[in-house]
Each structure stands twice: as structure tokens, then as C-alpha cells.
């Protein structure tokens, strides 16, 4: 989705993000404002979303529930997010930027790659549909501002698993 597309929050999470942006825009006064809309951020040892749940599940936690069939998400490594945020501070153009890779990958592809990188299986069960099927950020504006994410999913998941494995030893 492009940054200037009309927002139609469908979940409580999306509504909260929408409300935050509206509040910031209303309170900006005469200041310029840059908003970074982050994709599915992963990496390091403090993963909270799907990848964090998968890491905990593969090391003896409860199986994770994957909602629906064939969901596609845009996963971006935390190192790329940090670099993008630093870069955006120096960009004269204010506005909204999708900090994403612009590439979609299915949840099952992410879990399979994480299993391949770790050599461990991830217990999971399929849940009911409930979220958007495809959530991929259009990052053309970020690229036009001079930033392109560098970490590929394979390398990012390898590093994430290695960091996590070291943290639990």
C-alpha cells in the first residue's frame, strides 16, 4: 500500500496506529513531521511478532497459531529499520514513509526458512482467517529518499536465529 492511499483501519491495532498518526499531525504546530510506517520488523533477540513466537515454539514453547491460509507479509530486519530511521532524519522531504522491503513472503515460507536456518522444527497449528491476506508496503518513496534495505530474509533469519540461540544458552 502506498503512503498516500486512504487509510481504512480494520483491526484494533490498525486503528491505534491511525489514531497516533492523526494525533501527531494535529499537534505538530509549525514543525515538519516525518512518520515511518514500519513493516513486520524482526531481528536481534527481542522479537515480539511471528518470528519471536516461532523461536520460542521451536525451543519448547507452545505451538504458534498461524491465522488463515497463505498470508503474505513484508518482513524487514531491525538493522535496516534502524538505518532507515537515521537516514530519514536527514531527508529534507517530510511526510509518511513505508519502512519496508516492498517484497511479500508467505508466513509458511518464513517458518520453513527459519526451520532450515535453525535445523529445528517449529510446532504450529492453522487458525481461522482473521487478518488481511496480503500486507506489503510500497517502499518507492523510501527508495526515492535514498534508502534501500540491505538485509535479505535468508541472511536476516540466520542472524536472528544465531542471536536468539546465543541468548538462551
Amino acid at each position: 500500500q502506498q503512503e498516500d492511499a486512504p487509510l481504512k483501519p480494520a483491526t484494533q491495532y490498525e486503528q491505534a496506529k491511525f489514531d497516533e498518526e492523526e494525533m501527531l499531525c494535529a499537534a505538530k504546530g509549525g514543525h515538519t513531521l516525518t512518520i515511518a510506517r514500519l513493516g513486520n520488523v524482526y531481528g536481534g533477540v527481542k522479537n515480539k511478532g511471528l518470528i519471536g513466537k516461532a523461536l520460542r515454539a521451536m525451543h519448547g514453547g507452545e505451538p504458534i497459531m498461524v491465522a488463515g491460509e497463505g498470508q503474505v507479509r513484508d518482513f524487514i530486519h531491525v538493522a535496516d529499520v534502524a538505518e532507515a530511521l537515521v537516514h530519514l532524519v536527514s531527508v529534507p522531504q517530510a511526510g509518511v514513509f513505508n519502512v519496508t522491503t516492498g517484497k511479500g513472503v508467505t508466513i509458511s515460507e518464513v517458518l520453513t526458512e527459519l526451520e532450515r536456518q535453525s535445523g529445528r522444527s517449529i510446532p504450529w497449528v492453522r487458525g481461522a482467517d482473521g487478518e488481511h491476506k496480503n500486507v506489503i508496503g510500497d517502499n518507492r518513496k523510501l527508495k526515492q529518499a535514498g534508502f534501500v534495505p540491505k538485509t535479505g530474509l535468508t541472511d536476516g533469519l540466520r542472524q536472528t536465529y544465531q542471536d536468539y540461540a546465543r541468548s538462551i544458552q
Side-chain angles (χ1 to χ4, degrees):
Q1 178 170 325
Q2 290 183 319
E3 294 89 345
D4 59 357
L7 297 178
K8 298 175 188 164
T11 67
Q12 284 184 316
Y13 176 78
E14 290 171 356
Q15 185 64 52
K17 292 295 182 187
F18 176 81
D19 292 345
E20 289 170 358
E21 282 189 21
E22 290 292 304
M23 188 172 52
L24 286 170
C25 289
K28 75 178 186 173
H31 302 284
T32 58
L33 181 66
T34 297
I35 294 174
R37 292 182 183 158
L38 308 182
N40 288 69
V41 182
Y42 73 97
V45 296
K46 294 186 177 183
N47 294 279
K48 302 226 183 242
L50 171 77
I51 293 174
K53 291 175 186 174
L55 290 167
R56 289 186 293 281
M58 76 169 52
H59 286 277
E62 294 292 317
I64 62 172
M65 182 172 294
V66 177
E69 177 91 25
Q71 286 189 40
V72 175
R73 296 292 182 266
D74 188 333
F75 289 88
I76 184 165
H77 194 270
V78 67
D80 285 331
V81 170
E83 286 183 42
L85 295 176
V86 168
H87 180 79
L88 288 174
V89 169
S90 66
V91 171
Q93 173 189 3
V96 178
F97 293 85
N98 288 330
V99 179
T100 65
T101 65
K103 299 174 188 154
V105 61
T106 67
I107 301 298
S108 60
E109 289 172 316
V110 170
L111 297 177
T112 298
E113 182 60 29
L114 191 53
E115 286 177 331
R116 193 175 78 71
Q117 293 296 332
S118 67
R120 302 178 72 113
S121 64
I122 301 168
W124 64 278
V125 295
R126 181 151 333 271
D129 287 344
E131 292 189 28
H132 300 290
K133 182 105 170 150
N134 298 312
V135 180
I136 305 165
D138 181 341
N139 70 351
R140 283 181 282 186
K141 189 173 173 185
L142 182 68
K143 288 179 179 179
Q144 289 169 352
F147 184 82
V148 177
K150 299 175 194 86
T151 308
L153 187 66
T154 299
D155 291 338
L157 288 175
R158 178 183 315 111
Q159 185 63 49
T160 299
Y161 178 73
Q162 290 170 353
D163 292 344
Y164 181 81
R166 278 192 298 274
S167 77
I168 61 172
Q169 291 178 352

